[in-house]
């Protein structure tokens, strides 16, 4: 789960989320009022390696890109009631 935050939320029209799977990138545009986005852990069997996020204002100006390494955490095992 990716959390996006800014000190000027009223200025963000869209978030541009780029995710690197293997050697390729996948881009998603998210509305600016959203503050979280669920990224798939893998795409075409390639694990996610890196995420890059930027904000776009109402006039189309893009902020700098924040690049984030990804650390995948295993899901906790659920205890069976049986």
């Amino acid at each position: 789960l990716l959390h996006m935050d800014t000190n000027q939320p009223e200025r963000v029209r869209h978030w541009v989320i780029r995710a690197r799977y293997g050697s390729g990138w996948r881009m998603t545009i998210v509305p600016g009022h959203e503050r979280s986005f669920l990224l798939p852990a893998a795409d075409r069997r390639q694990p996610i390696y890196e995420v890059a996020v930027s904000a776009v204002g109402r006039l189309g100006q893009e902020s700098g890109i924040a690049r984030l390494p990804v650390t995948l955490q295993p899901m906790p095992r659920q205890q069976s009631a049986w």
Side-chain angles (χ1 to χ4, degrees):
L1 186 63
L2 176 67
H3 294 282
M4 294 89 67
D5 196 11
T6 178
N7 57 359
Q8 297 179 324
E10 69 281 354
R11 299 185 83 182
V12 178
R13 177 64 57 95
H14 302 288
W15 297 102
V16 180
I17 301 170
R18 300 164 178 92
R20 183 168 66 95
Y21 296 93
S23 62
W25 288 86
R26 180 171 149 191
M27 184 174 69
T28 305
I29 308 294
V30 177
H33 67 271
E34 298 289 335
R35 292 292 176 255
S36 61
F37 181 73
L38 184 60
L39 285 163
D43 184 44
R44 296 189 181 114
R45 298 185 183 201
Q46 293 291 319
I48 189 170
Y49 288 103
E50 186 177 12
V51 175
V53 180
S54 61
V56 177
R58 66 181 182 85
L59 298 177
Q61 293 179 315
E62 186 175 12
S63 71
I65 297 173
R67 295 177 76 127
L68 311 164
V70 174
T71 303
L72 296 177
Q73 301 287 330
M75 294 293 290
R77 294 184 131 214
Q78 292 184 350
Q79 298 293 324
S80 174
W82 302 101

